[in-house]
């Protein structure tokens, strides 16, 4: 089982970036999927997630209104559209999955490798 993240990079403050995660090795149609991030010297924190049925989304307060999580169940992918980026969004972004639902207090069943997002001021 593998979660492969892609799409990170360097962007100026106020800009946009989209990161995606492709899952393989099993079907994730019954898994909540989402994103965590870890900035240098800080703990890993929840960013956003979407339920297995795509009818519920969850966001950290710090990204509400700026980030949008989505998924394509047929393609086993989850994406995070990040707009109005701020320097404090700089972090390594990790995709994750948990059976049925993934929230801020969940312990994921699966982790992907991270992708670096750097926002310059």
């Amino acid at each position: 089982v593998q979660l492969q993240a892609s799409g990170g990079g360097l962007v100026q403050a106020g800009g946009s970036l989209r990161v995606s995660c492709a899952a393989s090795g099993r079907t994730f149609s019954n898994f909540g999927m989402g994103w965590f991030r870890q900035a240098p010297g800080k703990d890993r924190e929840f960013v956003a997630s979407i339920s297995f049925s795509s009818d519920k989304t969850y966001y950290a307060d710090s990204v509400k209104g700026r980030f949008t999580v989505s998924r394509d169940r047929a393609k086993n992918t989850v994406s995070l559209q990040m707009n109005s980026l701020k320097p404090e969004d700089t972090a390594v972004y990790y995709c994750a999955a948990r059976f049925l639902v993934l929230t801020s207090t969940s312990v994921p069943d699966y982790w992907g490798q991270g992708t670096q997002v750097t926002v310059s001021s």
Side-chain angles (χ1 to χ4, degrees):
V1 175
Q2 187 177 18
L3 300 178
Q4 182 73 40
S6 61
L10 174 64
V11 65
Q12 288 188 332
S16 297
L17 206 59
R18 184 179 182 90
V19 292
S20 296
C21 177
S24 60
R26 64 164 299 152
T27 179
F28 281 84
S29 59
N30 289 329
F31 281 71
M33 300 184 74
W35 297 88
F36 289 70
R37 68 185 181 186
Q38 187 166 20
K42 295 188 177 181
D43 293 335
R44 191 172 298 189
E45 64 175 3
F46 172 83
V47 177
S49 66
I50 184 166
S51 64
F52 76 95
S53 57
S54 301
D55 62 340
K56 293 183 179 179
T57 55
Y58 306 87
Y59 295 95
D61 288 343
S62 59
V63 306
K64 280 181 182 176
R66 301 188 298 122
F67 290 12
T68 302
V69 63
S70 60
R71 69 185 295 170
D72 186 327
R73 296 180 71 204
K75 294 183 178 179
N76 251 4
T77 60
V78 60
S79 297
L80 185 68
Q81 177 66 41
M82 302 180 288
N83 299 328
S84 302
L85 282 160
K86 305 175 181 180
E88 51 263 44
D89 294 318
T90 295
V92 177
Y93 283 70
Y94 298 89
C95 58
R98 189 175 189 275
F99 184 62
L100 295 182
V101 66
L102 179 72
T103 67
S104 61
T105 58
S106 297
V107 177
D109 296 317
Y110 300 100
W111 286 103
Q113 98 293 357
T115 185
Q116 177 70 47
V117 172
T118 302
V119 185
S120 63
S121 58

